[in-house]
Amino acid sequence: RRLRLGGGGGCQEICRRFDVRIEFHFKVCLRLEASHNHLAFDLEYQAQAGEDLSKGDVVYVSGNSGNTPIVSKAQSNNNGAKMPAFGICTQSINNGSTGFIVTQGLITGINTSAFTPGDTLYVSSTTAGGLANVSPAGESYKIQNIGKVVKSSNGGSILVGGAGRFN
C-alpha cells in the first residue's frame, strides 16, 4: 500500500520508505488531531511476547524469533539487565503470541491515574514492566525516560518517546 501525504515528488520517497519497512513488521498509524490542526503519527512494531504482557507494560528486547523481536517486561534495576526499554505494549499479549509495541507516539486507554499530566515517566526499578514518575537512584539502577503523561485517568494516555536508550 502507498501512503499519500500530498502531491509532489517528495511523497514518492516517503511512500517507498514505508513500503520497505512494512516487510519488517512495523506499522505507522497517522491521525489528524483537529483540535491542534496537525498530523501526528505513532510508530508501532510487531513483537512476540517472551512472557504474558498487559497493555501498558514497558518492554525490552529479550531475544528474537527470525526477524521478529521477542519482548519481555523491562526493569531498571540489576545494572540494566532488562534494559533498554523498547516501548510500551498497545494490547495484552500472551506468552509466545505476537502483538504491537508503540515506540514513538501516543498510547491511550491505560491507567495513568497515579500520575499527573506532564509527568515524565521512567522505567520502574521496583516493578517489572512498570512506570514511575521519579527517576531511579543508585549505582545499580539505569535511568530511561520512556514518555510523558498526556491524560491522567483510568483510561489515560502517554506520549511515548525515548525508546531504546538509557543512562
Side-chain angles (χ1 to χ4, degrees), residues 38-109:
H38 71 279
L39 189 63
F41 75 94
D42 306 322
L43 186 58
E44 298 178 3
Y45 285 85
Q46 187 175 30
Q48 180 179 322
E51 61 185 303
D52 287 341
L53 301 171
S54 298
K55 181 175 182 175
D57 279 347
V58 180
V59 296
Y60 76 105
V61 176
S62 57
N64 70 292
S65 177
N67 286 331
T68 303
I70 296 174
V71 294
S72 300
K73 295 175 186 177
Q75 194 168 0
S76 67
N77 63 351
N78 201 20
N79 286 315
K82 295 183 177 184
M83 295 278 279
F86 177 62
I88 299 178
C89 292
T90 63
Q91 64 197 96
S92 293
I93 312 169
N94 292 327
N95 186 17
S97 298
T98 58
F100 283 92
I101 311 301
V102 64
T103 60
Q104 182 78 34
L106 190 69
I107 183 169
T108 60

